[in-house]
Amino acid sequence: MKKSERTKSIIISSVIELIEEIGTTDITMSMIAKKADVAVGLINYHYESKQALIIDAVRYYVSEHIAKENVFVTYENMSPWETLKKSFTSYADFLAEHALLSRLHIKFSIDGEIDADAAQQAVSYYLPIIKKVNNSLSDEQMMTALRMISSTIQMSFLQADMSSETFDFFDKEQRDKFIEQMIMLVIGEKGGNK
């Protein structure tokens, strides 16, 4: 890793830590520089603004987590249905455990400030697994199923603080049961092909 890449990585890690500690509103470039042990000028050299730095940090952190999680789940010895369930529950766990970062990532994605890297990662990862779970689905139906499940997870997460429903997204047991039922409804029963 080049020195400039290593420096950017340290800056990004510092931003992530600060976001998780205090949110984004109160973060200053000076705070980031102090935490990263670099000069403010060096941060300004790499990033045109605090907002650009926050967007890049959130995008990078979420993309890296998705890539690592996908590798971990892919190599476990599970059926395609269990792999799919584990992948979606891991995604929901990440949302719950990193609520502020996740909200920012979803917001930045909706606003078009983050490119479609994470979405493309999801498509590349999930479609082959969905195909193994239910090979009677067309590519278009698999894409629709993927969108239905992922957007429902995101919407349930975003509404969790506002909703008085009986479903509590932040309760892992309820969340896992919800995801299992959703996969069964949208893609098919446990154990394979329809």
Side-chain angles (χ1 to χ4, degrees), residues 80-96:
W81 200 95
E82 287 297 324
T83 300
L84 194 62
K85 179 183 168 197
K86 173 75 173 165
S87 297
F88 279 120
T89 57
S90 294
Y91 173 61
D93 292 347
F94 178 84
L95 294 175

Side-chain angles (χ1 to χ4, degrees), residues 81 134 137 145 148-149 177-190 194:
W81 200 95
N134 187 339
L137 297 175
M148 288 172 69
I149 294 170
K177 183 178 180 184
F178 170 75
I179 290 169
E180 181 175 351
Q181 290 172 343
M182 188 172 27
I183 294 170
M184 286 172 35
L185 286 169
V186 174
I187 296 175
E189 294 293 323
K190 291 182 190 180
K194 282 187 168 180

Side-chain angles (χ1 to χ4, degrees), residues 2-158:
K2 289 187 202 174
K3 185 176 179 179
S4 66
E5 290 172 3
R6 193 170 41 251
T7 301
K8 279 183 84 169
S9 178
I10 291 167
I11 292 168
I12 285 172
S13 295
S14 298
V15 171
I16 295 301
E17 288 176 30
L18 285 168
I19 290 171
E20 290 191 321
E21 289 170 15
I22 63 171
T24 58
T25 306
D26 296 331
I27 292 177
T28 65
M29 292 298 241
S30 296
M31 291 170 77
I32 297 166
K34 183 177 180 181
K35 188 147 196 90
D37 196 25
V38 298
V40 172
L42 187 57
I43 296 172
N44 291 330
Y45 172 79
H46 288 288
Y47 296 96
E48 64 188 43
S49 67
K50 178 179 92 167
Q51 182 70 6
L53 173 53
I54 290 171
I55 290 168
D56 192 45
V58 169
R59 179 202 52 80
Y60 178 80
Y61 186 79
V62 172
S63 293
E64 285 298 302
H65 176 79
I66 290 169
K68 286 177 189 171
E69 186 62 33
N70 290 352
V71 167
F72 170 74
V73 171
T74 302
Y75 291 105
E76 287 191 18
N77 191 17
M78 293 185 271
S79 70
W81 200 95
E82 287 297 324
T83 300
L84 194 62
K85 179 183 168 197
K86 173 75 173 165
S87 297
F88 279 120
T89 57
S90 294
Y91 173 61
D93 292 347
F94 178 84
L95 294 175
E97 292 164 15
H98 302 278
L100 181 55
L101 289 171
S102 298
R103 283 186 185 92
L104 288 169
H105 189 269
I106 292 167
K107 179 196 179 308
F108 295 154
S109 296
I110 290 169
D111 292 346
E113 295 175 294
I114 291 181
D115 56 21
D117 285 349
Q120 189 53 48
Q121 274 182 303
V123 169
S124 300
Y125 174 74
Y126 282 110
L127 288 188
I129 300 169
I130 292 171
K131 187 72 165 175
K132 288 178 185 175
V133 171
N134 187 339
N135 64 14
S136 68
L137 297 175
S138 68
D139 288 351
E140 186 177 338
Q141 289 170 323
M142 287 189 293
M143 281 299 298
T144 300
L146 176 57
R147 286 186 189 111
M148 288 172 69
I149 294 170
S150 59
S151 62
T152 301
I153 291 170
Q154 289 176 353
M155 189 58 75
S156 297
F157 161 70
L158 291 172

